[in-house]
Amino acid sequence: MGDKRTDYISWDEYFMGVAYLAGMRSKDPHSQVGTCIVSEDNKILSIGYNGFPRGCSDDVFPWAREGAPLEKKYLYVTHSELNAILNYKGGSLEGAKLYVTLFPCNECAKAIIQSGIRTVIYDSDKYRDQESSIASRRMFDASGVRYYRYQRTGRKIEIQL
């Protein structure tokens, strides 16, 4: 019956890898975040990364994290999760899974819940103790959205383009 192949990647590795690859499209010099939304039967539905809305030039709008509110990125950037939700053109996301490289903020958590996504798999949780992340967890818990941290395998994958 031959040897069993073990060189393939798991679904979680695959979809988190896609999320990281999507994040590499972001021009944010401080934080490249990517999202991959997947159906219940493991089909990619949508992808997003953090960046400015259509028509808002990356060369005109600010990427700064310090300064007056209108001179910082925070009022302008669309997070990867919201971009992926808004990019989806196929109808309902009910029951979908969302892979994201950074745990969702409270605003993205609202969009995730309202869109019908039922599971969030995240990698980094560097803002865990901030009110935004605490609020996200409270809303996920209250609405029945399951969330868990991606379990890194240590596998190194190299792609030459």
Side-chain angles (χ1 to χ4, degrees):
M1 288 281 161
D3 294 331
K4 228 179 173 181
R5 280 189 59 197
T6 58
D7 59 340
Y8 61 89
I9 60 175
S10 71
W11 287 119
D12 277 356
E13 287 173 310
Y14 176 61
F15 297 130
M16 189 58 76
V18 170
Y20 268 102
L21 194 59
M24 293 173 74
R25 283 284 308 142
S26 174
K27 294 180 182 174
D28 187 331
H30 307 288
S31 181
Q32 292 183 305
V33 181
T35 294
C36 180
I37 301 176
V38 180
S39 69
E40 293 175 276
D41 60 346
N42 292 320
K43 304 290 186 279
I44 294 176
L45 300 174
S46 188
I47 295 170
Y49 57 89
N50 57 315
F52 297 126
R54 278 190 203 131
C56 298
S57 171
D58 297 332
D59 298 321
V60 175
F61 283 82
W63 286 113
R65 296 190 295 183
E66 312 269 332
L70 292 174
E71 301 306 315
K72 294 188 289 191
K73 66 180 182 175
Y74 303 110
L75 295 177
Y76 307 106
V77 170
T78 304
H79 288 179
S80 69
E81 304 94 320
L82 185 57
N83 260 333
I85 291 168
L86 295 172
N87 286 340
Y88 184 58
K89 304 291 186 220
S92 174
L93 290 171
E94 196 70 41
K97 297 181 286 187
L98 182 143
Y99 289 80
V100 62
T101 59
L102 180 63
F103 187 80
C105 73
N106 62 303
E107 292 299 321
C108 289
K110 293 178 211 177
I112 289 166
I113 293 163
Q114 288 299 97
S115 71
I117 293 168
R118 303 305 301 154
T119 305
V120 173
I121 302 96
Y122 62 93
D123 191 18
S124 174
D125 199 10
K126 68 181 178 179
Y127 301 116
R128 178 178 186 76
D129 296 326
Q130 291 190 0
E131 291 174 345
S132 170
S133 292
I134 294 167
S136 294
R137 283 180 172 77
R138 284 183 184 174
M139 288 188 284
F140 286 157
D141 290 342
S143 64
V145 171
R146 183 173 165 244
Y147 57 95
Y148 62 90
R149 192 165 195 167
Y150 171 69
Q151 296 300 308
R152 288 178 172 251
T153 62
R155 183 191 310 258
K156 182 178 171 111
I157 299 171
E158 185 175 323
I159 302 171
Q160 185 173 355
L161 302 174

